[in-house]
Amino acid sequence: LPVDPFDLVIFGGTGDLALRKLLPGLLRRYADGQIPDDSRIIGVARDKQSDADYRAKVGDALSRACASDEVAKAKLPAFLEKLGYHALDATKDEGWEEFASELKAHGEDRIRVFYLSTSPSLFVNLCDRLRAHGLNRGQSRVVIEKPIGHDLASAAVINDAVGSAFAESQIFRIDHYLGKETVQNLLALRFANILFEPLWNANHIDHVQITVAETVGLEKRATYYDTSGALRDMVQNHLLQLLCMVAMEPPAALQADAVRDEKLKVLRSLRPIEAEEIGQLTVRGQYRAGAVNGAAVPGYLDELGREDSRTETFVALKAEVDNWRWAGVPFYLRTGKRLPERVSEIVISFRQIPHSIFENSAGPVMGNKLVLRLQPDEGVKLWMMIKDPGPGGLRLQQVPLDMSFAEAFGVHQPEAYERLLMDVVRGNPTLFMRRDEVEAAWKWIDPILAAWESKRESPKAYTAGSWGPSAAVALVERDGRTWHEDTV
Ligand code: BG6
């Protein structure tokens, strides 16, 4: 859909997220013809530099980020023309008046997006200044990134600060997992097909698994990550959002608040994990030295350069949604760094058939599974029982009906950030988190953090390149289940 020309201001315009994700995403959207020519992208950071310096720096980063994309590379020079730079300090007045006048001179009612790609500690200052200079009015929007707080109380402080400058309809809280192709396909799969929804409940679904496995370690984010850990970094946001997309009731319309109302109900129905069950329902792990994809990697503490961190780099947990649809259906979640492969998937495991007509010699009849793969190789697999082809009597076999999006459509899928940035420009908040969602998620997470803290246990060690501590396997095996392995 065409959009009106806009000004997009990236606070933290020289930072990692801007150079690795936001600007490459914008370049690809530009190459696709989605960014009107009169639009501008303005990087803001503290250092003084000229537009030309900034363009050169961004040009370098984008040539690397889009090395294999010929169309994007061809458009790079024209894209850089749209780029400007402003040196501003969120904590000082200097320069703000001029910055505001410059933006306003471009049209009071122009779409303006302020992307706060900075440390959350600057959100309050930035929002105060945007308000003081009248930049919160008209068609202004503000985008904030996680971490939105480190617990419920600190999230509320950030939300209050941003909320005092911008109305909720102007605030876009990004969870980039919601921008992934397969997540939106989950909406299509559930609500554009008659097949699944009648079975989408405790009568037919045995359990759900959500895995987000990464091969990377700390990268360059030691300071942030060590104060966060996997529960805050991944579960509070990405994994719970995926859980909501699976578990929510059908919204009445694909309209932002209708969808977010349903997700909120799921978050509020999550059964609280009590302190006394913490050891049964959750597993924390931290990687030790090992090998990932054949390369030796150091342990977490070595990477961190400290010996005393109890931060978890792996979490597995069993959640339950206490409502009619999901009563008694466990949702097993796991995520971790330095696991054997990078894979994110949602597995819906259906119940067994009620009665088998087959001889034992035909082999076991296994429950159907619907596997939604978010990355890599986005696609959907429906595991079904079929007759083993060929002579030799009736033997059963489980094989997947397999739809790989790349094979089926053969096109480059826009990255999550590309799609979400354009949604902000269009003013469509459906795939963004509302304040109450973020806070409901923290409300469920806080007691888990508190219970871990009061036990003061070290996380369980796991070797880099393994699937986490053995306790994570035990978590599902205790219930007579196993983690899904894609064998085909
Ligand atoms: C971020 C986390 O939100 O998501 C990172 O802070 C993590 O720790 C990243 O690596 C994973 O995103 P993706 O899109 O690479 O799966």
Side-chain angles (χ1 to χ4, degrees), residues 6-17:
F6 58 88
D7 284 346
L8 187 139
V9 179
I10 307 178
F11 290 100
T14 50
D16 193 51
L17 182 72

Side-chain angles (χ1 to χ4, degrees), residues 340-416:
E341 51 180 312
R342 176 172 187 251
V343 55
S344 298
E345 61 188 15
I346 301 171
V347 180
I348 317 289
S349 270
F350 290 90
R351 288 190 185 283
Q352 303 284 346
I353 48 163
H355 164 74
S356 175
I357 61 168
F358 301 99
E359 305 266 337
N360 282 347
S361 58
V365 181
M366 289 180 278
N368 298 117
K369 278 186 200 175
L370 179 67
V371 180
L372 298 130
R373 168 77 69 116
L374 278 68
Q375 59 197 26
D377 314 328
E378 297 135 327
V380 179
K381 282 186 185 175
L382 179 59
W383 291 78
M384 322 220 314
M385 297 307 298
I386 59 148
K387 177 192 164 295
D388 201 358
L394 204 162
R395 287 191 52 79
L396 297 169
Q397 197 188 333
Q398 193 176 41
V399 291
L401 260 179
D402 186 352
M403 189 167 82
S404 148
F405 296 158
E407 272 171 35
F409 302 106
V411 286
H412 160 75
Q413 305 295 343
E415 278 201 16

Side-chain angles (χ1 to χ4, degrees), residues 273-284 310 316 446-460 471 475 478:
I273 292 186
E274 307 290 343
E276 51 282 7
E277 0 167 69
I278 198 82
Q280 286 287 308
L281 300 183
T282 70
V283 176
R284 308 171 71 223
R310 287 194 286 123
D446 272 3
I448 302 178
L449 289 165
W452 284 350
E453 190 53 38
S454 71
K455 280 184 93 178
R456 301 203 67 72
E457 265 178 20
S458 292
K460 296 192 164 56
L475 178 82
R478 240 192 332 266

Side-chain angles (χ1 to χ4, degrees), residues 21 146 176-177 180 212 214 216 219 221 224-225 233-234 237-238 337 342 344 375:
K21 296 280 186 196
K146 61 174 269 275
H176 77 282
Y177 266 62
K180 293 195 189 260
V212 178
E214 299 188 274
V216 294
E219 300 180 286
R221 308 155 72 224
Y224 154 72
Y225 194 84
D233 185 49
M234 298 294 287
N237 36 76
H238 307 323
K337 304 248 182 229
R342 176 172 187 251
S344 298
Q375 59 197 26

Side-chain angles (χ1 to χ4, degrees), residues 72-309:
K73 270 197 317 202
K75 291 280 186 181
L76 180 57
F79 177 76
L80 292 176
E81 289 294 307
K82 314 203 150 310
L83 227 60
Y85 181 80
H86 258 275
L88 282 178
D89 185 333
T91 61
K92 298 197 182 110
D93 273 339
E94 197 189 325
W96 278 88
E97 192 59 56
E98 188 199 334
F99 170 69
S101 321
E102 207 271 316
L103 282 181
K104 289 181 192 163
H106 234 72
E108 279 283 356
D109 207 35
R110 191 171 163 89
I111 297 174
R112 285 189 212 121
V113 177
F114 298 104
Y115 200 118
L116 311 193
S117 172
T118 63
S119 150
S121 59
L122 294 176
F123 289 178
V124 176
N125 284 325
L126 285 170
C127 288
D128 280 353
R129 295 206 187 266
L130 290 170
R131 185 191 45 203
H133 292 279
L135 291 173
N136 56 344
R137 301 199 201 112
Q139 297 214 65
S140 286
R141 284 146 211 176
V142 65
V143 184
I144 57 175
E145 272 282 334
K146 61 174 269 275
I148 300 175
H150 54 269
D151 57 13
L152 177 58
S154 52
V157 170
I158 292 177
N159 283 330
D160 281 346
V162 181
S164 69
F166 293 91
E168 183 63 31
S169 59
Q170 296 175 289
I171 304 172
F172 290 73
R173 296 178 191 80
I174 282 218
D175 184 313
H176 77 282
Y177 266 62
L178 292 180
K180 293 195 189 260
E181 182 73 12
T182 313
V183 176
Q184 288 163 76
N185 236 309
L186 185 54
L187 288 174
L189 206 77
R190 284 192 61 190
F191 304 129
N193 293 289
I194 193 79
L195 282 182
F196 298 110
E197 213 41 34
L199 305 182
W200 211 260
N201 56 50
N203 296 332
H204 302 285
I205 293 180
D206 177 71
H207 74 281
V208 175
Q209 298 182 4
I210 301 179
T211 295
V212 178
E214 299 188 274
T215 52
V216 294
L218 262 179
E219 300 180 286
K220 290 180 191 138
R221 308 155 72 224
T223 320
Y224 154 72
Y225 194 84
D226 197 54
T227 55
S228 169
L231 188 73
R232 289 186 174 101
D233 185 49
M234 298 294 287
V235 179
Q236 188 272 344
N237 36 76
H238 307 323
L239 277 87
L240 285 185
Q241 285 292 323
L242 296 181
L243 184 153
C244 286
M245 298 296 274
V246 172
M248 71 180 181
E249 296 299 314
L254 194 54
Q255 190 262 337
D257 277 334
V259 172
R260 299 187 301 177
D261 286 347
E262 295 308 336
K263 289 198 294 165
L264 179 65
K265 286 185 209 158
V266 174
L267 291 166
R268 289 188 173 157
S269 311
L270 284 171
R271 182 184 301 173
I273 292 186
E274 307 290 343
E276 51 282 7
E277 0 167 69
I278 198 82
Q280 286 287 308
L281 300 183
T282 70
V283 176
R284 308 171 71 223
Q286 190 187 73
Y287 59 84
R288 298 287 177 263
V292 177
N293 291 330
V297 296
Y300 178 77
L301 297 176
D302 275 348
E303 241 181 280
L304 189 66
R306 271 181 39 201
E307 275 173 15
D308 57 348
S309 171

